[in-house]
Amino acid sequence: MRPLHKLERRLLVSLARNGGGFLEDVTSRANMSIDQARRTVEWLRSKGMIKIETITRHRIEVLNEGKRAIEHGLPERRLVKVLGEIGGEATIDELVKAFDSTRQEFSAAFGHARAKGWIDTFSKEGRTIVRVSAFDRNQVEESLLRRVEEKGLLFEELSEEEEKVIDELSKRPNYLSKIGTKIININLTEVGKSIAETIKEVREIDRLTPELIMSGKWREQKLRSLDVEAVAPAVYPGKKHPIQRFVDEVRGAFVSLGFEEITGPIIQPSFWNFDALFVPQDHPARDMQDTFYLPKIREPKLASKDLVERISRVHMDGGGTGSKGWRYNWTLDEAKRLVLRTHTTAVTVKYLADHKASEAKVFSVDKVFRNEKLDTKHLAELHQIEGIIVSKRATLRDLMGVLSEFYKILGLKKVKFWPTYFPYTEPSLQSIVHVKGFGWMELCGMGIFRPEVTLPLGVKNPVLAWGGGLERLVMARLRIEDIRELYENDLGWLRRVPLCL
Ligand code: PHE
């Protein structure tokens, strides 16, 4: 048999020793909280060791008028008292005045007092006189009400006499209400009894504390064994979105390699998104088909006049970088057009311009936007992982090495590289990675920034740069075929996505 939980043993022993009864009593005799008892009762019931019977009982709740009666006596008693105080006899009008209450309460008090025979009336000189005829000092109703209120008695616990009193009182408005409650009665079954007899009082612990470990006392303790196969309810606590979790993981990977994070605005002038990266103004990537353009609300500030001038020269004739440039008529207007950044390389290149670092290792994991038709592989809004290394001796081999290392941290071990083309890097590489059970997938683009990019910014050392999509890595990890699923925010899916993979 599976080992019994500490609470199960405690409850069984207590039931065998003290007998069964209502859940509340059983609970307190076994020295448990009501929650512990509920759980334990359920476990033991499913194992056939206890039987449960549910009985409906009535709790009596004393309402406002009832409470007033407890404090000041029933209205009829107050009336008789008042009548006594004004001489034991009075006309109705005098009594109403002395009683000093609402008309309604007076008539109730009067009616009850007369019905109980505490007062009677006679007529004298044509007027009706009320007088005290008897008085009951026992205050049966009041003391019963008080007991009910203080002890929370159940209707079924009262004597027959008392039940009658309660029923009478409950006819008065706002005195009492009877509330049916289910009462759980618990008893050991034969199986439970025989098992309870075998339980020895072994003191087991179910928590290893630092103290126990440090003092070595754990060696003398008996540890409760755990049933790791026991069925447990599924819990769905709040947790981070899988994308956000992966973003954090990527940040961690970069930081562990000594990179610092940089961020920048989502809206960029074409100048930083394209021109500073030596993307010619007629390049297809700048097309409306690929890029989201925004209306120009304000004149954007691009950079210093000097820098804008140097970059325009690089485009037109190489500007003394040793390049011939693209040889076309560069325009400031085109550079000022606002875009939702299409890659985080816009942020990287602005960082280079601002810092002119001779040595640097920075990264960003941030949103980019592409004017794409959505399908199983494409989103219009996605995350890009981007990094650069500025170093005097940096080479393409270093770039491949760092990337392999970086992806290894994320659990991706097989990476392949081959040459490709970007307007801003030379040489340029493309990479793919192998994901178990998923196959090969495109990873990121990379290269060494061209002198046409770095020299106008004032950066002399080589800059290794790379950038790639984040969502597809999450897809591979979560074995998702359709990229759109990541952002559908289907609650069922979000709940089921495992935290560790
Ligand atoms: N910006 C490129 C893209 O969006 C990736 C890249 C970054 C390539 C840096 C080379 C250098 O795909």
Side-chain angles (χ1 to χ4, degrees):
M1 195 184 60
R2 286 181 173 169
L4 289 173
H5 188 272
K6 189 166 76 173
L7 291 173
E8 289 177 309
R9 289 209 312 272
R10 199 194 295 170
L11 190 62
L12 281 178
V13 168
S14 165
L15 285 170
R17 203 175 284 159
N18 311 311
F22 295 150
L23 177 65
E24 288 72 14
D25 302 332
V26 166
T27 303
S28 76
R29 288 200 292 259
N31 210 358
M32 291 182 180
S33 74
I34 193 75
D35 281 338
Q36 288 177 323
R38 285 223 166 85
R39 268 187 288 145
T40 314
V41 161
E42 190 44 43
W43 297 334
L44 290 176
R45 190 195 57 77
S46 69
K47 294 176 182 169
M49 297 185 195
I50 57 172
K51 49 178 185 274
I52 295 176
E53 210 187 339
T54 315
I55 317 163
T56 305
R57 288 287 145 92
H58 295 86
R59 205 162 51 74
I60 307 165
E61 194 182 359
V62 180
L63 305 178
N64 277 347
E65 287 305 316
K67 285 188 183 147
R68 256 184 75 190
I70 293 177
E71 218 174 300
H72 307 290
L74 290 169
E76 59 267 33
R77 193 179 311 284
R78 296 204 315 269
L79 185 81
V80 173
K81 199 163 154 242
V82 166
L83 185 53
E85 281 162 10
I86 56 173
E89 268 187 35
T91 64
I92 301 263
D93 287 345
E94 284 162 347
L95 186 53
V96 167
K97 215 167 144 230
F99 190 56
D100 190 25
S101 198
T102 63
R103 191 82 216 180
Q104 218 179 354
E105 204 174 8
F106 176 81
S107 1
F110 193 87
H112 285 297
R114 183 132 76 169
K116 284 181 170 166
W118 294 354
I119 54 171
D120 60 11
T121 55
F122 61 97
S123 75
K124 190 161 129 194
E125 294 156 13
R127 288 192 307 175
T128 305
I129 308 285
V130 190
R131 79 175 158 208
V132 180
S133 56
F135 196 50
D136 159 37
R137 292 188 186 284
N138 286 336
Q139 308 202 5
V140 179
E141 289 102 328
E142 288 93 333
S143 53
L144 180 59
L145 279 172
R146 179 169 292 125
R147 266 180 54 222
V148 164
E149 160 98 331
E150 281 170 2
K151 302 219 170 91
L153 293 182
L154 297 174
F155 188 71
E156 287 77 7
E157 287 173 311
L158 302 178
S159 71
E160 220 173 296
E161 290 299 287
E162 291 169 331
E163 282 184 4
K164 261 190 224 142
V165 174
I166 290 295
D167 280 338
E168 267 318 302
L169 283 174
S170 62
K171 286 183 196 150
R172 303 195 189 190
N174 258 328
Y175 269 68
L176 298 166
S177 73
K178 278 201 274 176
I179 301 161
T181 47
K182 289 213 183 333
I183 299 212
I184 298 170
N185 202 33
I186 295 164
N187 279 297
L188 283 177
T189 60
E190 289 310 314
V191 179
K193 266 184 214 155
S194 58
I195 287 174
E197 278 164 21
T198 68
I199 297 176
K200 289 187 265 3
E201 286 285 323
V202 250
R203 271 189 54 82
E204 287 185 346
I205 52 166
D206 56 7
R207 204 160 293 176
L208 258 188
T209 60
E211 290 74 29
L212 281 173
I213 296 171
M214 286 190 290
S215 63
K217 281 208 179 111
W218 62 272
R219 282 177 229 275
E220 297 139 37
Q221 301 284 342
K222 192 166 161 29
L223 277 167
R224 184 171 73 79
S225 48
L226 288 179
D227 179 2
V228 289
E229 283 169 12
V231 206
V235 276
Y236 299 111
K239 56 185 182 189
K240 278 191 185 169
H241 193 280
I243 294 280
Q244 194 52 48
R245 280 207 309 272
F246 196 74
V247 167
D248 291 346
E249 194 180 324
V250 169
R251 285 201 175 111
F254 270 119
V255 171
S256 76
L257 291 172
F259 284 77
E260 264 180 66
E261 184 167 6
I262 56 171
T263 57
I266 282 173
I267 300 175
Q268 296 278 353
S270 293
F271 181 78
W272 288 117
N273 199 78
F274 297 123
D275 297 280
L277 284 163
F278 198 51
V279 179
Q281 292 191 329
D282 63 354
H283 193 279
R286 296 210 189 200
D287 210 89
M288 297 277 272
Q289 306 300 319
D290 294 298
T291 302
F292 288 115
Y293 282 93
L294 301 175
K296 196 164 28 166
I297 305 168
R298 253 185 279 127
E299 271 303 283
K301 208 180 135 6
L302 303 184
S304 69
K305 245 199 162 123
D306 233 25
L307 182 56
V308 176
E309 172 66 21
R310 280 201 300 274
I311 285 175
S312 75
R313 288 252 69 89
V314 162
H315 278 250
M316 293 192 284
D317 59 21
T321 57
S323 161
K324 290 182 183 159
W326 293 113
R327 305 191 163 270
Y328 70 102
N329 209 359
W330 188 90
T331 71
L332 189 58
D333 276 350
E334 187 58 38
K336 281 184 176 169
R337 291 180 71 191
L338 293 180
V339 300
L340 288 179
R341 67 179 177 215
T342 60
H343 51 189
T344 38
T345 321
V347 178
T348 312
V349 74
K350 175 81 163 53
Y351 167 86
L352 286 174
D354 289 345
H355 294 82
K356 305 185 187 359
S358 53
E359 301 281 326
K361 280 159 83 178
V362 298
F363 77 96
S364 73
V365 194
D366 233 330
K367 285 248 167 104
V368 299
F369 304 82
R370 304 261 168 105
N371 199 351
E372 302 256 18
K373 224 172 134 252
L374 308 187
D375 60 31
T376 55
K377 290 203 173 62
H378 297 93
L379 291 170
E381 179 180 343
L382 61 150
H383 287 86
Q384 214 170 37
I385 303 173
E386 176 112 8
I388 53 164
I389 297 178
V390 190
S391 178
K392 194 166 173 131
R393 266 184 284 278
T395 66
L396 200 65
R397 285 176 77 90
D398 296 319
L399 181 55
M400 291 190 277
V402 168
L403 275 174
S404 304
E405 201 52 45
F406 173 76
Y407 285 106
K408 208 189 274 174
I409 297 177
L410 297 178
L412 304 164
K413 301 210 173 85
K414 273 194 244 166
V415 190
K416 281 190 193 173
F417 304 91
W418 73 93
T420 186
Y421 172 79
F422 296 104
Y424 33 95
T425 48
E426 181 59 36
S428 306
L429 295 178
Q430 190 59 258
S431 58
I432 51 171
V433 69
H434 189 78
V435 183
K436 250 206 214 128
F438 205 80
W440 289 94
M441 56 190 269
E442 264 182 55
L443 210 52
C444 63
M446 70 196 81
I448 302 179
F449 277 142
R450 300 177 75 104
E452 288 95 329
V453 175
T454 51
L455 290 182
L457 307 177
V459 176
K460 306 249 158 48
N461 283 342
V463 180
L464 311 180
W466 65 96
L470 172 131
E471 275 77 2
R472 58 178 78 148
L473 294 176
V474 182
M475 282 171 79
R477 167 132 354 148
L478 301 178
R479 303 275 184 269
I480 290 173
E481 302 281 333
D482 186 335
I483 196 166
R484 291 168 295 192
E485 274 181 42
L486 289 174
Y487 290 104
E488 257 164 23
N489 290 331
D490 169 0
L491 258 191
W493 180 75
L494 286 171
R495 281 177 168 166
R496 284 189 306 268
V497 177
L499 278 174
C500 308
L501 266 177

